[in-house]
Amino acid sequence: MSTRREKAEHIRHLLETEGESVRENTTTFNESRYEALDGFEEYEDLRDEARLIKEDAIERIPELVETVTDAVEANGGHVYLADDAADANAYIEGVCEDENAETLVKSKSMTTEEIEVNESLAEHGVDVYETDLGEFVIQVAGEAPSHLVGPGIHKSREEIAALFNEQFEPEEPLETAEELTQFARDYLGEHIREADVGMTGANFIAAESGTIALVTNEGNARKSAVTPDTHVAVAGVEKLIPSLRELAPMVDLIAKSATGQDIAQYVSLFSPPTDSPTVDFQEDSDVPLSEQDGERDFHLVLIDNGRMEMREDEDLRETLYCIRCGACSNSCANFQFFFFDSLCCEIYTGGIATGWEAGIEGGASASTDPGSISPESVEFNDLCTGCSRCVNACPVKIDIPWINTVVRDRINRSAEPDGIDTLVDGLVPDEESPGMDPSKRVFGNIGTLAKLGSATAPVSNWLADSRPVRAAMDRWLGIHSDRELPTFQRETFRDWFEQRTPTVETYVPESAPARDAVLFPDTYTNYIDVERGKAAVRTLEALGVDVRLAGVTESGRAPLSQGMVTTAEARARDAADALEPHIEDGWDIVVVEPSDAAMFRGDYEKLLDADRAERIAEHSYDVMEYLYGLLENGAELSALQYGATGVTYHSHCQQRTLGLEVYTETVLERLGYDVATTDAECCGMAGSFGYKSEYYDLSTAVGDSLVEEVRELDSVEQETTAPSSAQRKVVASGTSCLDQLEDLLDRPSTHPIELVAPDPNR
């Protein structure tokens, strides 16, 4: 496992060498997906249908294996259920030996990457040729795929041209994309014609008929399947669906989610062995192809390799619903900037990768043996920030952040404690076992640290910012020395609330229904950015809301982000205990920090019993959502601060997942602001992620794309507004977003509630 310093250096290298290509390709995928889904009214219904199909199929895997075996064997083919990679490779090697095969051509298949079939066959004297263009490039380069759909997206055209020119020495140097593609087509076409065995994966397998579905944008897959006399299809058992009746939504969704196409260029259905005649390209025969004789042989190799254990694992089971579209990779802010290379998982990539690697490498048993988590899962897992963007992108609604959190929790529990760890364990207020990474433990207990920092401010702020302490934090906790730390306030938000005298005038028409709200004073609002809490109170009271403060400041978000699930459950129970009496009194829960709103509206489903989670979700509101509701129900807009300036608004990732950003936009527009919402979906800070020394450069790289957008909007403002130095107000909902924007822009940014709050002195 690499050190923080080594990891940071490697990330910097990848950002410099591959960042541009990865960014360009993932951006293209995303834009195409957005365009394909725009106005596609059936999308959510299809997602629900596909989810139900996968849930049913995974539940019925043993039955479907029997069904597909009967169907394929009735058609004259063979089915082999392999326990693991070695078992699968041994069977495939046997097939090649029976055919006296010297060459094998194969189409793109992540499952064959998983079992390392190419390497296994090479050891037994079989030459394997990848026929997918991207896979061919990667094979020539001696690298691993960087993406589930686009295996070579980290390489530019110039790099591929240099690679081909060096490896193949063509008569004329290859330069253009057309030349490169034509060369690969001719080169691989010859090998396809001469191959003894063809191998494919399978996007889906209809068990009832034994039909293999291949969904591709190149013709190589069907050529690999039917040109050689022997076809071997390799697929995980999770690819089984009951019948062709369930295929339509899957084919529709995979194309739109993967590449933004209405439908893939090639949707090939085979119920092998096919009836198509065999072809001998070595003989010059006048016999029509339709009259040529020859037998075809087909082998379906189904892979377990940990999948049946994953099926029994409540938290990893959803991984098996994956249809390998790659949308989680494209939507991941970190993946958009570089191919994770050796930092990534061994085989799979993108948001879903941790779940796959944990399952196929033994992590499915980690609930009883956390030490079985693979090193690749450990390296990759922290790159998931839990932003939840992938949840909306996933065509089968897999809760990928939760899977990554569970694996992170198992990684934490797999650590071997020493004497110091055991001593420290008795001093920290969490529910975790000793030995976990100290950086995670610090950030998971940020509520306690903030309380201590506030109680000892301003000394704590001075001490934390001193050079020796910053150096120690960098070395021992991995907190980057260039990242500005929060400033703790001596007077907390709760202190102010208990001592205050309301000074704002109330604007409540008699027709407006009275509302009562308990404001959740999150850790940041209570101890650091107290002003936004004050603004929330003034705003709510000006609109006639009776305001209380909840008795707790932690929702469990901080420990959950570090994979400290047991601690997060305890914090969630404490929060529920504090909030439920208010709910019983008929009070609403209003939240300033979007990540806490996401906890109440989503994550509590995993941390609390269903009734408690549902009750809290039903009564929780983002502060701007609540404000919008008040205005819609008769509260006076004139109670708020009007503005006639331009506002650049950046919505928090989890706020977008919940679809809450529209409320902020609407309220600001009603108050006269010219609102431009950023296209950048992530600021790169992601809570503790941006503080960590190994990820600091990646965090700022992601943030720089947002900063560029803010500055472009400023430029437009300067062209249309006098004086020319005019800048738009920068507004952001999330704590992390505000910190990142202020660091990178070197100018203030504001929570929207502070922008609209009544002046306390008026």
Side-chain angles (χ1 to χ4, degrees):
M1 192 182 302
S2 57
T3 65
R4 287 193 178 99
R5 190 176 300 277
E6 290 170 340
K7 188 180 290 188
E9 184 177 345
H10 191 51
I11 287 176
R12 281 193 295 272
H13 170 71
L14 294 176
L15 286 171
E16 293 170 358
T17 58
E18 301 175 352
E20 185 176 348
S21 294
V22 174
R23 178 71 170 160
E24 180 180 350
N25 283 297
T26 54
T27 297
T28 299
F29 283 146
N30 276 330
E31 290 176 347
S32 298
R33 177 165 56 88
Y34 298 149
E35 184 176 348
L37 297 180
D38 184 30
F40 182 55
E41 297 179 358
E42 299 87 358
Y43 179 57
E44 290 302 327
D45 290 339
L46 275 180
R47 292 178 78 204
D48 290 336
E49 184 180 357
R51 169 86 182 192
L52 290 174
I53 290 170
K54 289 299 293 186
E55 288 177 351
D56 174 65
I58 299 307
E59 180 66 27
R60 295 169 54 191
I61 284 179
E63 170 195 338
L64 295 181
V65 169
E66 291 185 7
T67 301
V68 77
T69 299
D70 291 343
V72 171
E73 289 179 349
N75 199 36
H78 312 275
V79 177
Y80 185 75
L81 179 61
D83 291 333
D84 53 26
D87 189 16
N89 286 329
Y91 181 84
I92 295 167
E93 290 156 11
V95 171
C96 290
E97 184 175 343
D98 291 343
E99 299 295 331
N100 296 315
E102 297 180 355
T103 61
L104 179 148
V105 290
K106 63 187 290 282
S107 63
K108 181 164 67 66
S109 162
M110 290 306 300
T111 308
T112 59
E113 293 284 345
E114 174 188 326
I115 66 174
E116 298 181 337
V117 70
N118 290 19
E119 293 80 358
S120 174
L121 289 174
E123 291 177 0
H124 287 78
V126 179
D127 294 329
V128 179
Y129 296 92
E130 296 284 354
T131 63
D132 173 86
L133 180 57
E135 287 283 359
F136 176 58
V137 170
I138 295 306
Q139 184 181 36
V140 173
E143 297 176 2
S146 58
H147 191 280
L148 293 176
V149 174
I153 66 168
H154 60 291
K155 289 193 174 296
S156 67
R157 176 184 56 79
E158 291 79 10
E159 289 177 299
I160 297 171
L163 175 68
F164 280 16
N165 289 328
E166 179 182 353
Q167 292 292 321
F168 300 110
E169 299 180 346
E171 294 183 4
E172 295 292 333
L174 305 171
E175 295 182 0
T176 68
E178 291 77 9
E179 290 171 346
L180 293 167
T181 303
Q182 186 62 52
F183 172 82
R185 179 180 181 178
D186 294 343
Y187 178 87
L188 293 172
E190 181 179 349
H191 286 290
I192 290 172
R193 290 189 293 272
E194 295 177 350
D196 301 306
V197 175
M199 180 180 290
T200 68
N203 293 96
F204 309 100
I205 305 171
E208 183 179 75
S209 57
T211 303
I212 309 296
L214 299 176
V215 184
T216 69
N217 282 319
E218 301 175 22
N220 62 295
R222 59 174 62 174
K223 290 179 181 178
S224 297
V226 302
T227 304
D229 297 348
T230 300
H231 174 201
V232 179
V234 181
V237 291
E238 82 283 357
K239 296 296 186 70
L240 289 163
I241 57 175
S243 70
L244 287 172
R245 290 182 293 275
E246 289 79 26
L247 185 61
M250 299 299 185
V251 172
D252 201 350
L253 284 170
I254 196 171
K256 289 179 173 64
S257 301
T259 54
Q261 297 167 277
D262 288 334
I263 192 169
Q265 293 190 40
Y266 296 92
V267 179
S268 305
L269 302 180
F270 304 92
S271 297
T274 65
D275 292 331
S276 60
T278 60
V279 183
D280 187 350
F281 290 96
Q282 305 301 320
E283 294 184 5
D284 184 11
S285 175
D286 293 330
V287 179
L289 187 63
S290 60
E291 298 178 12
Q292 292 186 21
D293 296 325
E295 294 186 359
R296 290 191 173 277
D297 196 15
F298 173 67
H299 300 262
L300 173 60
V301 181
L302 295 172
I303 309 288
D304 179 354
N305 203 33
R307 286 164 172 79
M308 296 307 286
E309 280 190 77
M310 293 168 70
R311 177 174 170 268
E312 300 303 319
D313 188 310
E314 182 179 347
D315 294 311
L316 290 185
R317 182 187 181 96
E318 273 195 73
T319 306
L320 298 173
Y321 301 167
C322 174
I323 62 172
R324 309 274 176 85
C325 68
C328 59
S329 297
N330 303 331
S331 63
C332 174
N334 288 336
F335 191 94
Q336 287 176 6
F337 280 81
F338 74 102
F339 159 44
F340 295 152
D341 191 38
S342 60
L343 291 179
C344 188
C345 294
E346 189 172 10
I347 302 298
Y348 294 100
T349 63
I352 197 67
T354 295
W356 278 116
E357 293 289 336
I360 65 175
E361 294 292 336
S365 61
S367 55
T368 55
D369 178 20
S372 63
I373 291 285
S374 70
E376 291 77 23
S377 296
V378 176
E379 289 286 344
F380 176 71
N381 186 263
D382 278 345
L383 286 162
C384 172
T385 64
C387 74
S388 73
R389 295 169 66 195
C390 55
V391 177
N392 285 357
C394 177
V396 286
K397 298 187 175 183
I398 299 173
D399 192 348
I400 295 171
W402 175 251
I403 292 172
N404 289 331
T405 298
V406 167
V407 173
R408 192 169 299 172
D409 177 65
R410 297 177 184 185
I411 291 169
N412 292 343
R413 290 190 283 116
S414 71
E416 292 292 335
D418 56 24
I420 295 177
D421 291 328
T422 304
L423 175 63
V424 170
D425 186 61
L427 302 175
V428 293
D430 60 41
E431 309 294 326
E432 306 306 310
S433 56
M436 66 177 291
D437 181 89
S439 176
K440 292 182 181 179
R441 199 150 204 175
V442 165
F443 285 112
N445 287 290
I446 194 65
T448 300
L449 290 176
K451 183 177 182 179
L452 178 62
S454 176
T456 57
V459 174
S460 57
N461 295 318
W462 172 83
L463 187 63
D465 206 35
S466 65
R467 183 169 296 181
V469 172
R470 291 308 304 264
M473 285 194 287
D474 195 345
R475 180 176 181 182
W476 300 109
L477 300 177
I479 298 176
H480 200 283
S481 57
D482 287 346
R483 179 65 74 181
E484 186 174 342
L485 299 176
T487 301
F488 298 113
Q489 304 300 313
R490 186 57 177 265
E491 182 187 51
T492 67
F493 173 45
R494 191 180 300 281
D495 292 339
W496 171 84
F497 185 84
E498 292 174 352
Q499 299 167 10
R500 77 199 167 89
T501 300
T503 58
V504 297
E505 185 177 353
T506 299
Y507 293 75
V508 187
E510 293 183 2
S511 60
R515 304 295 300 189
D516 303 312
V518 54
L519 190 64
F520 186 78
D522 62 90
T523 296
Y524 201 91
T525 300
N526 194 53
Y527 298 112
I528 299 164
D529 192 356
V530 175
E531 292 304 315
R532 72 181 187 182
K534 295 179 182 179
V537 172
R538 291 200 308 273
T539 303
L540 295 176
E541 289 185 338
L543 297 179
V545 179
D546 191 5
V547 180
R548 297 176 182 174
L549 285 195
V552 293
T553 60
E554 294 188 69
S555 67
R557 167 58 61 191
L560 190 70
S561 69
Q562 308 305 314
M564 299 162 60
V565 174
T566 304
T567 302
E569 290 173 341
R571 299 289 182 271
R573 288 193 297 270
D574 291 343
D577 290 342
L579 293 171
E580 284 183 317
H582 299 293
I583 295 174
E584 291 172 4
D585 289 344
W587 289 55
D588 306 312
I589 303 169
V590 178
V591 185
V592 177
E593 171 57 42
S595 61
D596 289 315
M599 287 291 285
F600 295 157
R601 303 267 279 261
D603 294 294
Y604 274 15
E605 293 178 359
K606 303 290 198 305
L607 303 176
L608 300 174
D609 67 67
D611 289 341
R612 297 190 88 186
E614 183 178 357
R615 191 158 51 246
I616 291 173
E618 286 180 353
H619 292 86
S620 299
Y621 301 88
D622 173 85
V623 65
M624 297 302 290
E625 174 192 21
Y626 196 70
L627 184 56
Y628 171 85
L630 293 172
L631 296 172
E632 284 290 288
N633 286 278
E636 289 285 346
L637 189 66
S638 59
L640 307 180
Q641 288 273 29
Y642 279 77
T645 60
V647 167
T648 298
Y649 172 55
H650 177 69
S651 178
H652 187 274
C653 292
Q654 289 161 332
Q655 195 176 37
R656 294 193 189 207
T657 300
L658 294 171
L660 299 178
E661 72 278 9
V662 65
Y663 299 111
T664 299
E665 296 165 353
T666 302
V667 171
L668 292 180
E669 287 170 354
R670 287 183 182 179
L671 288 169
Y673 292 99
D674 173 24
V675 181
T677 302
T678 60
D679 291 327
E681 295 182 62
C682 186
C683 70
M685 188 68 180
S688 64
F689 183 81
Y691 284 99
K692 296 179 179 179
S693 56
E694 61 267 46
Y695 304 124
Y696 177 78
D697 292 296
L698 176 57
S699 170
T700 56
V702 175
D704 282 340
S705 65
L706 172 59
V707 167
E708 288 175 11
E709 189 174 355
V710 171
R711 288 175 175 157
E712 286 175 6
L713 290 167
D714 281 346
S715 298
V716 174
E717 186 87 356
Q718 290 167 10
E719 292 174 2
T720 59
T721 306
S724 60
S725 60
Q727 289 182 323
R728 302 173 67 88
K729 289 182 180 294
V730 179
V731 176
S733 301
T735 296
S736 299
C737 311
L738 289 162
D739 287 346
Q740 180 80 309
L741 284 164
E742 290 191 359
D743 274 5
L744 299 182
L745 283 170
D746 196 26
R747 78 189 214 224
S749 56
T750 307
H751 191 286
I753 197 65
E754 295 181 76
L755 194 64
V756 306
D759 186 338
N761 299 314
R762 80 178 188 183

